Amino acid sequence: MKVLSVVGARPQFVKLAPIAEAFAATEHTHVIVHTGQHYDAEMSDIFFADLAIPAPDVHLGVGSGSHGVQTGAMLAALDGVLDEHSPDWVLVYGDTNSTLAGAVSAVKMHLPVAHLEAGLRSFNRAMPEEHNRVLTDHAADLALAPTRTAVEHLTREGLADRTVLVGDVMTDVLRRVSAAGTGAPVTGLPGGLDPDAPYLIATLHRAENTDDPARLAAILDALAGLDTPVVLLAHPRLRARAREYDLELARGAIHPTNPLPYPATLAAMTRATGVVTDSGGLQKESFLLGVPTTTVRTETEWPETLEGGWNVLCPEPADLARCLSRPGPTAERAEPYGDGHAAAKVLAALEGAAR
């Protein structure tokens, strides 16, 4: 069996790690195609190195651009790649432009598509990620669902016959990396911050928060006014928008730094008193690590994180201080994201459906 994985963004590299490891233990052929959607070394290359992922077999080098331009460039480049490799499955990961482009290109070439992380829904059609995931689910021949909630969404949309519950591969890699780093010192925090003193981890990258100058300014003002230092892992999109809108990141409680390697991110989150984010992946990672999270959005694709107050939605920047001062959660965390063996189940599902 030959499987071709299409990836292009930070969360997808994390998901790719356990999949690549599972394939390496078999006789199957696994081809990795990197679209170049995240082309910054700290958002791309470093993940391949830190998570021991084989180097991409193909790098499209698409880079940045509007959604249409970026997706179109990927489609134009993928046709030749898929024609050359002729895989049994095209495996796409999540909700990015890389995922949509991989799915559409495969469908047009009559190649089977499997969607890892199928069935997630924010029910916010203003989000480009929601368009990508819904379109990909309905194009896919195999919907690999991470949670029972995702299975329910797919069933309601008439996709039950192509859905398999496999769990979340991010759980696989997070358990492995966090266990390997147990007791390791926290590194990469901005100079002058004591890793043993209270601090928050924050990320912002979604268009609804970064592309509106007034909203981005309000979020940064709220973070800057907090009493606890905020380690802002500044995504390239955030830095670009801040420059464009003439907004200063390093002020008040905010200590901006570049995105950290994955093991360092987990270590920093484990010691943090809380996380502020608009990232779906970070919401889930902090939940798995038992770190209270405040999500600067009106909705989440991961509703399981809201149970017991481990994650709280806080769409209004003016409410951030109040949301962050809430009592810590006392409820036991369930295990909705699987047992840490999702990659093996993904491989088994691909093998079974290919027969």
Side-chain angles (χ1 to χ4, degrees), residues 202-226 230 232 238 247 249 251 254 276-278 295-297 314-318 320-321:
T203 71
L204 293 167
H205 77 277
R206 289 197 181 270
E208 59 264 37
N209 286 328
T210 59
D211 289 1
D212 179 335
R215 180 167 176 80
L216 180 57
I219 295 171
L220 293 174
D221 285 346
L223 293 175
L226 296 174
V230 178
L232 178 60
L238 173 62
L247 297 173
L249 295 180
R251 55 194 173 93
I254 301 176
V276 181
T277 190
D278 57 11
T295 297
V296 193
R297 287 172 52 192
C314 188
E316 294 302 324
L320 263 176

Side-chain angles (χ1 to χ4, degrees), residues 263-318:
T265 300
L266 296 187
M269 287 170 61
T270 300
R271 300 280 188 87
T273 56
V275 168
V276 181
T277 190
D278 57 11
S279 161
L282 215 66
Q283 290 174 55
K284 187 176 43 179
E285 288 163 350
S286 56
F287 174 84
L288 291 168
L289 292 170
V291 182
T293 303
T294 300
T295 297
V296 193
R297 287 172 52 192
T298 58
E299 74 292 306
T300 177
E301 303 84 0
W302 303 102
E304 301 84 5
T305 64
L306 302 175
E307 296 174 8
W310 287 95
N311 184 17
V312 169
L313 300 176
C314 188
E316 294 302 324

Side-chain angles (χ1 to χ4, degrees), residues 56-288:
D57 299 281
V58 179
H59 199 303
L60 303 183
V62 167
S64 62
S66 68
H67 289 290
V69 167
Q70 191 178 64
T71 307
M74 292 174 191
L75 280 168
L78 279 169
D79 279 1
V81 174
L82 297 184
D83 185 55
E84 175 187 351
H85 290 280
S86 189
D88 298 296
W89 286 103
V90 174
L91 181 60
V92 294
Y93 298 62
D95 58 14
T96 67
N97 291 337
S98 298
T99 290
L100 181 61
V104 171
S105 184
V107 166
K108 295 294 186 183
M109 299 187 71
H110 307 290
L111 294 170
V113 177
H115 185 200
L116 187 66
E117 207 173 82
L120 297 191
R121 296 292 182 269
S122 69
F123 301 103
N124 179 359
R125 288 300 182 96
M127 291 175 58
E129 295 88 351
E130 186 77 350
H131 303 155
N132 291 343
R133 63 173 70 105
V134 171
L135 290 168
T136 301
D137 281 342
H138 284 262
D141 300 276
L142 184 59
L144 300 163
T147 65
R148 294 192 181 280
T149 301
V151 171
E152 291 168 4
H153 293 156
L154 293 164
T155 300
R156 281 196 294 271
E157 294 174 21
L159 304 178
D161 62 343
R162 66 184 79 170
T163 296
V164 179
L165 175 63
V166 294
D168 194 317
V169 292
M170 266 193 169
T171 304
D172 298 18
V173 68
L174 182 142
R175 287 187 176 185
R176 173 169 61 83
V177 173
S178 60
T182 299
V186 174
T187 60
L189 297 187
L193 284 187
D194 180 357
D196 295 320
Y199 64 87
L200 297 164
I201 294 288
T203 71
L204 293 167
H205 77 277
R206 289 197 181 270
E208 59 264 37
N209 286 328
T210 59
D211 289 1
D212 179 335
R215 180 167 176 80
L216 180 57
I219 295 171
L220 293 174
D221 285 346
L223 293 175
L226 296 174
D227 295 330
T228 304
V230 178
V231 179
L232 178 60
L233 305 180
H235 187 286
R237 180 193 189 99
L238 173 62
R239 290 190 182 275
R241 291 294 183 267
R243 287 193 298 270
E244 181 181 347
Y245 305 147
D246 196 25
L247 297 173
E248 181 62 47
L249 295 180
R251 55 194 173 93
I254 301 176
H255 299 261
T257 188
N258 291 333
L260 299 176
Y262 188 69
T265 300
L266 296 187
M269 287 170 61
T270 300
R271 300 280 188 87
T273 56
V275 168
V276 181
T277 190
D278 57 11
S279 161
L282 215 66
Q283 290 174 55
K284 187 176 43 179
E285 288 163 350
S286 56
F287 174 84
L288 291 168

